[in-house]
């Protein structure tokens, strides 16, 4: 039976939304939209799937919400996420794990897993998310959706609960690349409320054509060489052959093997260090679901002890360690220096190609109760986490469905140079036309 938004499919919905939809000939008229629950919408709960914000009702609209309203979209629900954006499975949510629309015993991915599940199930036309490491693009791979993380600053972050300001991007899920282009057209642009936003407005949806003859397309060899899944390898090989038959030149691209394995450590030091400062206000006095105490200090301790999960507490402890004066130079500042080396190496890879391709994930979605990965393996350090490079560099990156294994989706990641979002979308549309994808489940 076809699922609907009623009865909370896949445990993806945190709350329902009602608002007066603008009428008229507007860009997103007739579109249903979902918001990740770290995006403020006036008079709705914005919990970021955390107990500490479980009673917080927004008093204003995020910029993206106002843009959606002005474009005629009907915002219908707010969606589950890993608590405060910390995690990649959507198992770490106040309301419990979100399941995959193709197999409800499997994860949706995270942290934007609720939006990914609803998009993958075709229950909404547009689902908003945020991406700090790969939090849109990995769940898009698992759920059979198009997931776009645009260039840093392309979409305003005003009104979005942060995780790590230097890495956070607002993006979204759609059914196809054409819808993604129109959504980006509506949502991008300079925002005086976000100093990092870009003063760029392009008609992305009006020109999605690219002639592949003679075009140079990179293939991320570090990632490809680690893929063991035969279905993914076969689908990627077929795609590269099809691209070459269209006249494209496939160029293998490789980063220093020791450098690339620093990605995850660098990410955790920077993201969690920044998170400590962003979440300091959740103390039961300024913000947060307050707990009683005999003193101001005790109120803060009790509030944060009850309000954060063990998983989030661990990340905040790691982050505090990184930014403490005693370790600041050796951990946090060093991580930022290595980030710069990673960005320079990645930028060099893109210097003579238009886009770089890689499997978005090395496998289909794992089981919800599956044991953790071996976190010291190259498979985990590189193949599972390579998309954090585009958060370090702020470059645009998109995942689209590449194929299925035993009925479960897996995706292709496409990335371009900074501010070349339009070029990325053109290539994505052309590649989408070469892939025989059927989103039935």
């Amino acid at each position: 039976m076809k699922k609907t938004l009623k009865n909370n499919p896949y445990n993806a919905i945190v709350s329902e939304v009602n608002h007066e939809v603008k009428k008229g000939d507007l860009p997103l008229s007739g579109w249903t939209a979902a918001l990740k629950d770290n995006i403020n919408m006036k008079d709705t709960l914005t919990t970021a799937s955390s107990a500490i914000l479980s009673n917080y009702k927004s008093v204003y609209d995020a910029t993206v919400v106002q843009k959606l309203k002005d474009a005629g979209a009907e915002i219908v629900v707010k969606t589950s996420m890993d608590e405060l954006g910390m995690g990649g499975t959507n198992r770490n949510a106040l309301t419990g794990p979100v399941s995959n629309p193709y197999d409800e015993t499997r994860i949706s991915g995270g942290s934007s897993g609720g939006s990914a599940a609803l998009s993958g199930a075709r229950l909404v036309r547009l689902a908003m998310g945020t991406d700090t490491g790969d939090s849109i693009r990995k769940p898009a791979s698992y759920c059979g959706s198009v997931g776009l993380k645009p260039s840093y600053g392309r979409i305003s972050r005003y009104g979005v609960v942060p995780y790590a300001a230097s890495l956070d991007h607002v993006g979204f899920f759609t059914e196809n690349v054409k819808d993604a282009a129109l959504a980006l057209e509506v949502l991008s642009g300079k925002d005086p409320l976000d100093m990092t936003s870009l003063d760029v407005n392009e008609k992305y949806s009006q020109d999605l054509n690219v002639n592949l003859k003679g075009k140079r397309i990179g293939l991320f060899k570090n990632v490809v060489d680690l893929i063991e899944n035969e279905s993914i390898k076969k689908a990627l090989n077929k795609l590269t052959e099809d691209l070459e038959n269209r006249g494209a030149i496939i160029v293998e691209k490789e980063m220093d093997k020791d450098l690339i394995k620093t990605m995850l450590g660098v990410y955790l030091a920077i993201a969690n260090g920044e998170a400590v400062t962003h979440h300091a206000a959740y103390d039961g006095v300024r913000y947060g679901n307050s707990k009683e105490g005999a003193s101001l200090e005790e109120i803060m301790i009790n509030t944060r002890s009850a309000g954060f999960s063990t998983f989030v507490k661990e990340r905040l402890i790691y982050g505090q360690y990184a930014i403490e004066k005693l370790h600041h130079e050796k951990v946090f500042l060093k991580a930022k220096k290595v980030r710069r080396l990673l960005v320079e190496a990645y930028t060099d890879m893109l210097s003579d190609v238009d886009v770089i391709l890689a499997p978005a994930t090395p496998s289909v979605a794992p089981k919800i109760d599956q044991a953790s990965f071996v976190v010291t393996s190259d498979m985990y350090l590189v193949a599972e986490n390579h998309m954090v490079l585009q958060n370090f560099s702020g470059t645009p990156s998109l995942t689209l469905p590449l194929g299925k294994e035993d009925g479960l989706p897996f995706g292709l990641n496409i990335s371009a140079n900074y501010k070349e979002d339009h070029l990325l979308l053109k290539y994505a549309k052309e590649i989408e036309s070469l892939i025989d994808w059927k989103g039935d489940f």
Side-chain angles (χ1 to χ4, degrees), residues 124-135:
V124 293
R125 190 163 177 182
L126 175 66
M128 298 300 301
T130 56
D131 191 311
T132 308
D134 54 23
S135 295

Side-chain angles (χ1 to χ4, degrees), residues 91 369-375 380:
R91 290 184 290 198
D369 59 358
Q370 183 172 314
S372 299
F373 297 97
V374 179
V375 297
Y380 186 75

